[in-house]
Amino acid sequence: MNQEQNDTPRYFQVTPSGAYYATLNTEPEALRALLLQLLSADTHIPYISSLLQKLTGMGEEEAQTLLDKAVQHGFVDLPQNPEPIAAGTIEQLLPEFLPQLADGRVLLADDQGFCLGQSGFGAEEAEAVAGMAADLVSMHERHQALLGRHLGFDGSSWALVDAVGQSELGFWTLHVGEQKFLLILEGMPHLNRQPFVDLMSVLIRRYLDY
């Protein structure tokens, strides 16, 4: 599908799955780079072949093939009316986004154990949980070779589970450039919703260095 052949304007829209894939790790990859470019935009980008080529640094055919892959994987949509782009500072937006990401308490921390925002935790609890999250990042890095190369586990998120294996407290590692963030979620996570995309877009616009 080519925008120039369609009278109805369409726009690039990263889905929750695309936002998660973009921040899953820092391995250089054309698809991840495209998703990060789209998430870092502070205005809606129309689906036009020339803009797609500029975003990807590829020729027309190669760029379209990459976009087709993103659409097939459910990482990008091309709606006529895209979701509004979140505007404001992280400090302003976290109180709105975080409570929508899980059934229970939510906290966002960096890999140094600093709490950027939280919903439902007491002040001392938030500080302690953020510190524990930093310890988990350090532990994962020490054992990354074992988990990835030998056991075949590519993820970097951890969870405390109940007797039937359901997560009671999950620690989701998100990579934005060289910066790592921990999203700590109590109970059922809701990362398949627009607030997760909005959160990732805000973090990427603030912390991603090209």
Side-chain angles (χ1 to χ4, degrees):
M1 177 181 178
N2 193 301
Q3 180 65 60
E4 287 87 351
Q5 300 172 351
N6 193 326
D7 294 333
T8 304
R10 292 183 177 273
Y11 299 86
F12 295 105
Q13 174 76 66
V14 178
T15 68
S17 295
Y20 183 73
Y21 185 81
T23 56
L24 184 61
N25 58 52
T26 58
E27 291 297 320
E29 182 189 349
L31 179 53
R32 178 169 291 110
L34 173 60
L35 293 170
L36 290 171
Q37 287 272 17
L38 296 175
L39 286 166
S40 69
D42 55 10
T43 59
H44 293 122
I45 301 176
Y47 169 40
I48 298 173
S49 179
S50 58
L51 285 178
L52 177 60
Q53 293 174 58
K54 184 176 180 179
L55 287 169
T56 61
M58 299 175 176
E60 181 177 3
E61 184 175 348
E62 190 177 7
Q64 187 60 47
T65 297
L66 181 64
L67 178 61
D68 290 343
K69 179 180 178 181
V71 172
Q72 290 166 4
H73 281 76
F75 295 161
V76 173
D77 287 332
L78 299 170
Q80 298 176 18
N81 300 299
E83 295 285 345
I85 295 176
T89 66
I90 290 178
E91 293 76 15
Q92 293 170 330
L93 296 173
L94 285 184
E96 175 187 351
F97 296 153
L98 293 183
Q100 302 181 64
L101 299 180
D103 286 342
R105 292 172 289 184
V106 178
L107 186 145
L108 179 69
D110 66 15
D111 58 355
Q112 302 301 310
F114 177 73
C115 177
L116 299 175
Q118 60 92 12
S119 172
F121 289 99
E124 292 185 2
E125 291 176 333
E127 183 178 350
V129 171
M132 180 170 59
D135 288 343
L136 281 175
V137 170
S138 178
M139 180 186 70
H140 181 85
E141 290 177 346
R142 290 198 306 272
H143 300 287
Q144 191 167 8
L146 169 65
L147 293 169
R149 296 189 201 130
H150 299 286
L151 300 180
F153 297 122
D154 294 329
S156 57
S157 300
W158 294 78
L160 296 173
V161 299
D162 61 19
V164 295
Q166 294 180 331
S167 174
E168 294 185 304
L169 192 65
F171 297 79
W172 304 76
T173 306
L174 308 168
H175 301 79
V176 178
E178 296 302 317
Q179 180 75 50
K180 295 186 183 71
F181 297 93
L182 274 295
L183 188 58
I184 296 97
L185 307 175
E186 180 184 34
M188 178 65 70
H190 299 303
L191 302 186
N192 59 342
R193 299 179 179 177
Q194 184 61 31
F196 178 67
V197 180
D198 294 334
L199 174 63
M200 292 300 95
S201 178
V202 170
L203 289 175
I204 287 167
R205 278 182 275 154
R206 172 76 172 267
Y207 292 101
L208 183 64
D209 294 322
Y210 288 102

